[in-house]
Short mmCIF file of all heavy atoms in Angstrom, two decimals:
data_model
loop_
_atom_site.label_atom_id
_atom_site.label_comp_id
_atom_site.label_asym_id
_atom_site.label_seq_id
_atom_site.Cartn_x
_atom_site.Cartn_y
_atom_site.Cartn_z
N ALA A 598 -18.86 99.97 88.97
CA ALA A 598 -18.50 99.11 87.84
C ALA A 598 -18.34 99.92 86.56
O ALA A 598 -17.39 99.71 85.78
CB ALA A 598 -19.55 98.01 87.65
N VAL A 599 -19.24 100.86 86.32
CA VAL A 599 -19.15 101.69 85.12
C VAL A 599 -17.90 102.56 85.17
O VAL A 599 -17.19 102.73 84.17
CB VAL A 599 -20.41 102.55 84.95
CG1 VAL A 599 -20.26 103.51 83.78
CG2 VAL A 599 -21.64 101.66 84.73
N PHE A 600 -17.62 103.11 86.34
CA PHE A 600 -16.40 103.91 86.47
C PHE A 600 -15.16 103.05 86.20
O PHE A 600 -14.19 103.51 85.58
CB PHE A 600 -16.33 104.52 87.87
CG PHE A 600 -15.48 105.76 87.95
CD1 PHE A 600 -16.04 107.01 87.82
CD2 PHE A 600 -14.11 105.67 88.14
CE1 PHE A 600 -15.25 108.16 87.87
CE2 PHE A 600 -13.31 106.80 88.19
CZ PHE A 600 -13.89 108.05 88.06
N SER A 601 -15.18 101.81 86.67
CA SER A 601 -14.05 100.91 86.43
C SER A 601 -13.91 100.57 84.96
O SER A 601 -12.79 100.39 84.46
CB SER A 601 -14.22 99.62 87.25
OG SER A 601 -14.16 99.89 88.63
N ILE A 602 -15.03 100.46 84.25
CA ILE A 602 -14.96 100.24 82.79
C ILE A 602 -14.20 101.39 82.14
O ILE A 602 -13.33 101.19 81.28
CB ILE A 602 -16.37 100.10 82.20
CG1 ILE A 602 -17.02 98.80 82.66
CG2 ILE A 602 -16.31 100.14 80.67
CD1 ILE A 602 -18.47 98.66 82.23
N GLY A 603 -14.52 102.61 82.57
CA GLY A 603 -13.79 103.76 82.04
C GLY A 603 -12.32 103.71 82.39
O GLY A 603 -11.46 104.08 81.56
N ASN A 604 -12.00 103.23 83.60
CA ASN A 604 -10.59 103.12 84.01
C ASN A 604 -9.84 102.05 83.24
O ASN A 604 -8.62 102.14 83.08
CB ASN A 604 -10.52 102.80 85.51
CG ASN A 604 -10.88 103.99 86.37
OD1 ASN A 604 -10.86 105.12 85.91
ND2 ASN A 604 -11.22 103.73 87.61
N VAL A 605 -10.57 101.02 82.76
CA VAL A 605 -9.93 99.95 81.98
C VAL A 605 -9.82 100.36 80.51
O VAL A 605 -8.77 100.21 79.88
CB VAL A 605 -10.72 98.64 82.13
CG1 VAL A 605 -10.18 97.58 81.17
CG2 VAL A 605 -10.65 98.12 83.56
N VAL A 606 -10.92 100.87 79.97
CA VAL A 606 -10.95 101.19 78.54
C VAL A 606 -10.15 102.47 78.24
O VAL A 606 -9.47 102.55 77.20
CB VAL A 606 -12.41 101.36 78.06
CG1 VAL A 606 -12.46 101.86 76.62
CG2 VAL A 606 -13.15 100.05 78.20
N GLY A 607 -10.21 103.44 79.14
CA GLY A 607 -9.58 104.73 78.89
C GLY A 607 -8.10 104.65 78.52
O GLY A 607 -7.70 105.13 77.45
N PRO A 608 -7.25 104.05 79.38
CA PRO A 608 -5.83 104.00 79.04
C PRO A 608 -5.54 103.21 77.76
O PRO A 608 -4.67 103.60 76.96
CB PRO A 608 -5.20 103.31 80.26
CG PRO A 608 -6.17 103.51 81.36
CD PRO A 608 -7.52 103.50 80.72
N THR A 609 -6.28 102.12 77.56
CA THR A 609 -6.05 101.29 76.37
C THR A 609 -6.42 102.03 75.10
O THR A 609 -5.64 102.12 74.15
CB THR A 609 -6.86 99.99 76.47
OG1 THR A 609 -6.52 99.31 77.69
CG2 THR A 609 -6.55 99.07 75.30
N LEU A 610 -7.63 102.58 75.08
CA LEU A 610 -8.09 103.28 73.88
C LEU A 610 -7.29 104.57 73.66
O LEU A 610 -6.91 104.89 72.53
CB LEU A 610 -9.58 103.60 74.02
CG LEU A 610 -10.26 104.25 72.82
CD1 LEU A 610 -10.17 103.33 71.60
CD2 LEU A 610 -11.73 104.56 73.14
N GLY A 611 -7.03 105.30 74.75
CA GLY A 611 -6.24 106.52 74.62
C GLY A 611 -4.85 106.25 74.10
O GLY A 611 -4.33 106.98 73.24
N GLY A 612 -4.21 105.21 74.61
CA GLY A 612 -2.88 104.85 74.13
C GLY A 612 -2.88 104.42 72.68
O GLY A 612 -1.96 104.76 71.91
N TYR A 613 -3.92 103.66 72.29
CA TYR A 613 -4.01 103.18 70.91
C TYR A 613 -4.16 104.35 69.93
O TYR A 613 -3.45 104.42 68.91
CB TYR A 613 -5.21 102.23 70.78
CG TYR A 613 -5.42 101.68 69.39
CD1 TYR A 613 -4.57 100.70 68.87
CD2 TYR A 613 -6.47 102.14 68.60
CE1 TYR A 613 -4.77 100.19 67.59
CE2 TYR A 613 -6.67 101.64 67.32
CZ TYR A 613 -5.82 100.66 66.83
OH TYR A 613 -6.01 100.17 65.56
N ILE A 614 -5.06 105.28 70.23
CA ILE A 614 -5.26 106.43 69.34
C ILE A 614 -4.02 107.32 69.33
O ILE A 614 -3.63 107.86 68.28
CB ILE A 614 -6.50 107.22 69.78
CG1 ILE A 614 -7.75 106.36 69.64
CG2 ILE A 614 -6.65 108.50 68.94
CD1 ILE A 614 -9.02 107.03 70.11
N THR A 615 -3.37 107.46 70.48
CA THR A 615 -2.14 108.26 70.55
C THR A 615 -1.06 107.67 69.67
O THR A 615 -0.34 108.38 68.95
CB THR A 615 -1.66 108.39 72.00
OG1 THR A 615 -2.65 109.06 72.78
CG2 THR A 615 -0.35 109.16 72.08
N ASP A 616 -0.91 106.34 69.70
CA ASP A 616 0.09 105.67 68.87
C ASP A 616 -0.20 105.86 67.39
O ASP A 616 0.72 106.01 66.58
CB ASP A 616 0.13 104.18 69.20
CG ASP A 616 0.81 103.91 70.55
OD1 ASP A 616 1.53 104.80 71.04
OD2 ASP A 616 0.59 102.82 71.13
N LEU A 617 -1.49 105.85 67.03
CA LEU A 617 -1.84 105.95 65.61
C LEU A 617 -1.80 107.38 65.09
O LEU A 617 -1.27 107.65 64.00
CB LEU A 617 -3.23 105.37 65.38
CG LEU A 617 -3.37 103.84 65.44
CD1 LEU A 617 -4.83 103.44 65.19
CD2 LEU A 617 -2.46 103.17 64.40
N TYR A 618 -2.37 108.32 65.86
CA TYR A 618 -2.59 109.67 65.34
C TYR A 618 -1.96 110.78 66.17
O TYR A 618 -1.96 111.94 65.75
CB TYR A 618 -4.10 109.94 65.23
CG TYR A 618 -4.84 108.93 64.40
CD1 TYR A 618 -5.67 107.98 65.01
CD2 TYR A 618 -4.70 108.88 63.02
CE1 TYR A 618 -6.36 107.04 64.25
CE2 TYR A 618 -5.37 107.94 62.26
CZ TYR A 618 -6.20 107.03 62.88
OH TYR A 618 -6.86 106.09 62.13
N GLY A 619 -1.45 110.46 67.34
CA GLY A 619 -0.82 111.47 68.18
C GLY A 619 -1.72 111.90 69.33
O GLY A 619 -2.94 111.74 69.31
N PHE A 620 -1.10 112.47 70.34
CA PHE A 620 -1.80 112.87 71.56
C PHE A 620 -2.86 113.95 71.31
O PHE A 620 -3.96 113.87 71.87
CB PHE A 620 -0.79 113.33 72.60
CG PHE A 620 -1.40 113.73 73.91
CD1 PHE A 620 -1.87 112.77 74.79
CD2 PHE A 620 -1.49 115.07 74.25
CE1 PHE A 620 -2.44 113.15 76.00
CE2 PHE A 620 -2.06 115.46 75.46
CZ PHE A 620 -2.54 114.49 76.34
N PRO A 621 -2.60 114.99 70.49
CA PRO A 621 -3.64 116.00 70.26
C PRO A 621 -4.92 115.43 69.67
O PRO A 621 -6.02 115.85 70.04
CB PRO A 621 -2.97 116.98 69.30
CG PRO A 621 -1.50 116.84 69.57
CD PRO A 621 -1.31 115.38 69.87
N VAL A 622 -4.80 114.47 68.75
CA VAL A 622 -5.99 113.85 68.16
C VAL A 622 -6.74 113.03 69.21
O VAL A 622 -7.98 113.04 69.26
CB VAL A 622 -5.61 112.99 66.95
CG1 VAL A 622 -6.83 112.22 66.43
CG2 VAL A 622 -5.02 113.86 65.84
N ALA A 623 -6.00 112.30 70.05
CA ALA A 623 -6.65 111.53 71.11
C ALA A 623 -7.43 112.43 72.04
O ALA A 623 -8.57 112.13 72.44
CB ALA A 623 -5.60 110.72 71.88
N ALA A 624 -6.84 113.57 72.41
CA ALA A 624 -7.54 114.51 73.29
C ALA A 624 -8.78 115.08 72.61
O ALA A 624 -9.84 115.25 73.24
CB ALA A 624 -6.59 115.64 73.69
N THR A 625 -8.68 115.37 71.32
CA THR A 625 -9.82 115.90 70.58
C THR A 625 -10.97 114.89 70.54
O THR A 625 -12.14 115.24 70.73
CB THR A 625 -9.40 116.27 69.15
OG1 THR A 625 -8.32 117.20 69.21
CG2 THR A 625 -10.56 116.88 68.38
N GLY A 626 -10.64 113.62 70.29
CA GLY A 626 -11.67 112.59 70.27
C GLY A 626 -12.35 112.44 71.61
O GLY A 626 -13.58 112.27 71.69
#
Side-chain angles (χ1 to χ4, degrees):
V599 174
F600 203 94
S601 295
I602 291 174
N604 287 341
V605 172
V606 173
T609 304
L610 184 61
Y613 179 74
I614 297 177
T615 298
D616 286 342
L617 287 180
Y618 304 107
F620 181 74
V622 174
T625 304

